[in-house]
Amino acid sequence: MNPSALSRQNELNCSTSGSGCIVDCGTSNLCVSELSVFYRDHSAVRDVSLNIPTNEITAIVGPSGCGKSSFLHSLNRLTDLIPGCRVTGSIRLCDGTEITHPQADILSLRRRVGIVFQRPNPFPQSIRRNFEIPLKEHGWHNRDIPDRMEAVLRDVGLWDEVSDRLHKSAIALSGGQQQRLCIARALALDPEVILFDEPCSALDPIASGVVEDLIHSLKGKVTVAIVTHNLAQARRIADHAAVFWVRDNAGALVESGPAARVFSDPLDPDAALYLSGARG
Amino acid sequence: MTSSKNTSLSRSIDRVAQGILGLLALVSGALVVLIVCFLFKGAWPAIEAGRLESFFADPKWQPGSVRDPQFGVVSMLVGSTLVTLLAVALALPVGVAGAVFHRFYAPPALERWNRRILELLIGVPAVVFGFWGLSVVVPAIVRFVPESSGQSLLAGGIVLGLMILPIITLTSQAALQAVPPAQLQAAAGLGLGRARTIWSIALPAAKGGIGTGVLLSLARAVGETMAVVLVCGNIPQIPTSLFDPIRPVTSTIALEMGYATASHKALLFCAGLILVLFTAALVGWLSFRRPAIDSGTGGA
C-alpha cells in the first residue's frame, strides 16, 4: 500500500470514529511516545516511542521479561488492575484521545482498544452470554445482539461449529475454539485496535495455525498489535515489527520498522542476534 | 549398622504413629455412628409402639396430658423450617452484599478488619445472641406490632439470621476471592464496568461457593437451640403470621427432655433423630451435589 493510500485509509478510519483526526502520527492508529511502566520502583518499560499503523499488523517481539506484555497492557490501561503499577508518557488514539489521561473514560477506551490474552478466557457461561454481557454493557439492544454475534462468529470461522450449541457452556469448546471465541468477542465491540498477548502460545500447533490465519485475516479491517515469542509467526503475519530488549534493567524498544526490513537487516546488534536465533 | 538400626526404629515409630492416628480418626467417625445408634435406641419404644403415625397425624403436641395425650410434631417441624428459611432469607442478601463490598469496593485494610470481626461474631455464644434478641429484638417488635408478644417467628428469624450472617459473608467472600483473575481480566479487557463485572461475571462464578455457605448455615440454623428458646415464644403451633410465636423442634427437646418420661421421652428422641437426618441430608447434598463449573481458563 502506498503512503497516500495509507493516509486516506487513516482519514477514513478516523472519520468513522466520529471526531477530527490529528494527523501528526501519520498513518498510525496508536501513537505511543516516551511510555514508561513502573511496578512500584522498578521500571519494566522505559521511554518507548512507537507508532502502530492503522489496519496493519505490528508484531512486538523480544526475549522473556523485556516488558512486551507490560507495554501491550498499558495500551488499554489494563495495567490499572495491577496494584502499584504506574504508567507515564503518552498514548494517543488517532482522534487525539489520550489513553494515559487520568480522566480518560476507561470503559469506552477498552471498547475501542480490545485485547486477546495468552490463555483463552471465555466466561464460564453459555456462548451466547459471552457476547450478551459485553454488548449490553456497551449499549447494544437485545434485538441486535444475535445478528452481531452471528456476524463475528462467522468472521472467526466458528459459526458452523457452534451455531447449534450457543446455549452450551463456552468452557466445553476446545482451546483453539475458545481462543477464536475470545477474538470474536473482542471483534463484536467493533474496536479500532486489537491487542494480542501471545494469543497462540497456549494452543496446539494446529489450533495455533488457525488462530494465526485468523489474525492475518484481520489485516485491513482493524489495527493489530501482537506480542509473540514465535519469530516465524511474526515473520509470516507482521507488516511492522518492534523488538524489545532489556537495557539498564528495564525493557526498551531497540528496533522498529517495516517487518521485512527489521527481520532481514536489523540495525541493533542485540536485535540482530535475537532475530537470527543466536540469542534470547 | 547404626543407620540401619535408625531406619528400623523410625519405621516402627511410624507404624505406631499410624496406628494411633488411625484409631483417633476412627473414634471421631465412630462417634457419629454411635450418636445415631443412641438416638435410634432412645426412639425405638415410640417406633415400636407405632407412635410415628400419631407423630405426624396428631394436630397438637400435648404429651403430658392424661385425658388426651397428643404427639403431633408437624407444627414444630414447620416452625423449625420457617425460622431457618427466614434466617437465610434475611442473612443471604446482607451477607452477599457485604462480601461484594469488601471484595470489590473496600480498601484491603478494611476488608481484613471486617473479616476478623466476623470471625469473632462466629464465636459469640448462642445464649448471648438469644439474650440480646430477648432484650432488643423482642421489645422492638412489640413497639411496632403492639398486639404481638414480640417473641415470634420474626424474632427467631432475625436472631438466627444474625448468627449465620458471618458464615454466609465469609464463605461468599472466599468464593468471590476465588474467582479466577483471568475472568476479571477478561471482563476488564472488554470494558465491563464494575457493576456488570460483579453481577454478570463474579457472582455467577462464585455461585457454587455461596451455595455451600447457605447449606452450611442452614445446617447451623436448623440445629440452633439456645437462641430460639429465648426469642421464639415456644408455643407449638403453625404460625399464620411473622408475629406468631413458634416452637422449633430443638426448643421442644431442650425444654422437655429434663422431665419427660417413657413414651414422651422416646418421642423426643424421634424428634432429635429427624433433626439429625435432616442435617445429614443437607451435608450429603453438600458433598454430592454437582461441583460448580470449573471456571478456570484454557481447558480441553
Side-chain angles (χ1 to χ4, degrees):
Chain A
M1 205 179 279
N2 64 47
S4 69
L6 272 174
S7 86
R8 243 198 336 273
Q9 179 149 25
N10 192 38
E11 279 166 29
L12 231 135
N13 187 301
C14 292
S15 65
T16 52
S17 65
S19 46
C21 194
I22 296 173
V23 205
D24 63 333
C25 305
T27 58
S28 300
N29 201 328
L30 272 178
C31 310
V32 182
S33 66
E34 296 183 344
L35 188 85
S36 297
V37 181
F38 301 89
Y39 296 114
R40 302 203 196 282
D41 299 330
H42 169 72
S43 73
V45 175
R46 188 180 296 146
D47 282 340
V48 170
S49 298
L50 178 68
N51 288 347
I52 295 175
T54 301
N55 294 352
E56 298 192 277
I57 298 175
T58 302
I60 300 165
V61 298
S64 294
C66 67
K68 308 180 298 287
S69 286
S70 297
F71 172 75
L72 198 77
H73 286 211
S74 67
L75 297 183
N76 74 349
R77 296 277 298 264
L78 274 182
T79 40
D80 289 13
L81 299 185
I82 304 163
C85 181
R86 192 161 51 85
V87 176
T88 63
S90 156
I91 307 163
R92 260 171 214 276
L93 280 163
C94 70
D95 66 354
T97 305
E98 176 57 63
I99 291 177
T100 55
H101 195 281
Q103 259 90 53
D105 175 358
I106 297 178
L107 303 188
S108 76
L109 166 79
R110 287 184 183 147
R111 185 202 64 71
R112 295 177 63 185
V113 184
I115 186 162
V116 173
F117 295 93
Q118 179 175 8
R119 299 187 68 89
N121 56 3
F123 301 125
Q125 304 182 32
S126 71
I127 294 169
R128 186 179 285 119
R129 284 288 290 163
N130 267 278
F131 290 91
E132 282 172 357
I133 293 169
L135 285 171
K136 274 188 191 162
E137 176 75 0
H138 293 286
W140 288 65
H141 287 292
N142 280 333
R143 59 171 187 276
D144 300 329
I145 290 178
D147 289 344
R148 182 67 188 158
M149 176 172 68
E150 179 177 344
V152 289
L153 281 173
R154 282 190 192 284
D155 283 348
V156 302
L158 206 53
W159 177 252
D160 294 332
E161 294 163 51
V162 302
S163 59
D164 57 341
R165 48 170 168 160
L166 295 170
H167 58 284
K168 296 253 176 75
S169 173
I171 297 294
L173 299 175
S174 74
Q177 287 175 321
Q178 288 186 21
Q179 193 63 306
R180 281 186 283 152
L181 177 77
C182 292
I183 296 171
R185 194 174 60 176
L187 282 172
L189 299 176
D190 200 18
E192 293 151 48
V193 183
I194 298 189
L195 313 170
F196 288 89
D197 188 2
E198 299 184 43
C200 299
S201 61
L203 305 178
D204 66 74
I206 293 172
S208 170
V210 174
V211 169
E212 181 184 315
D213 291 344
L214 169 58
I215 296 169
H216 202 189
S217 75
L218 295 177
K219 189 180 165 177
K221 299 176 192 158
V222 59
T223 305
V224 170
I226 175 172
V227 163
T228 176
H229 272 127
N230 185 337
L231 290 175
Q233 180 180 67
R235 274 201 185 97
R236 285 193 295 268
I237 63 176
D239 304 299
H240 303 269
V243 183
F244 276 60
W245 200 262
V246 179
R247 288 277 158 82
D248 300 327
N249 278 325
L253 178 69
V254 294
E255 178 92 39
S256 68
R261 204 275 298 150
V262 170
F263 284 117
S264 65
D265 186 20
L267 307 171
D268 181 83
D270 287 325
L273 286 170
Y274 176 71
L275 295 175
S276 70
R279 273 189 73 184
Chain B
M1 286 308 269
T2 342
S3 86
S4 84
K5 239 186 225 163
N6 277 348
T7 319
S8 77
L9 181 68
S10 81
R11 259 197 213 132
S12 41
I13 288 177
D14 188 45
R15 216 168 296 142
V16 171
Q18 187 189 358
I20 293 174
L21 292 174
L23 199 69
L24 291 176
L26 196 68
V27 165
S28 53
L31 267 180
V32 178
V33 177
L34 281 177
I35 287 173
V36 174
C37 289
F38 169 75
L39 282 174
F40 250 116
K41 185 166 167 279
W44 185 247
I47 298 171
E48 200 181 24
R51 279 279 162 69
L52 274 187
E53 196 185 327
S54 56
F55 208 55
F56 291 105
D58 284 2
K60 283 184 184 159
W61 174 260
Q62 39 194 40
S65 163
V66 183
R67 270 192 309 146
D68 178 26
Q70 291 204 21
F71 305 99
V73 80
V74 172
S75 65
M76 293 184 273
L77 287 174
V78 170
S80 275
T81 310
L82 285 179
V83 77
T84 300
L85 291 181
L86 181 62
V88 171
L90 291 174
L92 184 62
V94 180
V96 172
V100 165
F101 174 76
H102 285 288
R103 172 69 182 82
F104 290 99
Y105 293 87
L110 185 62
E111 196 259 314
R112 251 192 325 275
W113 276 104
N114 177 63
R115 190 161 49 217
R116 266 175 217 155
I117 288 170
L118 287 173
E119 279 159 359
L120 204 66
L121 200 57
I122 289 184
V124 172
V127 68
V128 173
F129 273 103
F131 180 66
W132 171 80
L134 195 60
S135 51
V136 176
V137 178
V138 168
I141 292 174
V142 173
R143 197 175 321 136
F144 285 107
V145 189
E147 63 273 21
S148 90
S149 72
Q151 294 186 315
S152 57
L153 172 59
L154 181 63
I158 292 174
V159 171
L160 269 188
L162 203 76
M163 292 177 72
I164 61 173
L165 181 61
I167 302 176
I168 292 189
T169 312
L170 289 171
T171 47
S172 304
Q173 226 161 305
L176 287 171
Q177 294 286 3
V179 174
Q183 295 297 320
L184 301 177
Q185 207 181 29
L190 290 163
L192 301 191
R194 188 153 57 178
R196 195 173 295 267
T197 303
I198 293 167
W199 192 251
S200 301
I201 311 299
L203 283 177
K207 207 167 49 186
I210 294 172
T212 302
V214 168
L215 288 178
L216 278 175
S217 53
L218 274 177
R220 168 95 169 85
V222 86
E224 177 47 44
T225 309
M226 205 58 229
V228 292
V229 162
L230 288 171
V231 300
C232 283
N234 297 325
I235 296 174
Q237 60 175 3
I238 293 180
T240 52
S241 90
L242 281 176
F243 306 104
D244 283 351
I246 56 155
R247 182 197 258 198
V249 180
T250 49
S251 300
T252 307
I253 298 174
L255 289 169
E256 298 180 7
M257 196 52 109
Y259 64 81
T261 52
S263 62
H264 181 191
K265 197 166 189 170
L267 281 165
L268 291 178
F269 271 103
C270 277
L273 194 60
I274 288 176
L275 273 185
V276 170
L277 293 179
F278 182 75
T279 315
L282 274 184
V283 172
W285 184 20
L286 243 171
S287 25
F288 292 112
R289 82 202 163 110
R290 204 166 56 90
I293 299 174
D294 174 31
S295 34
T297 53

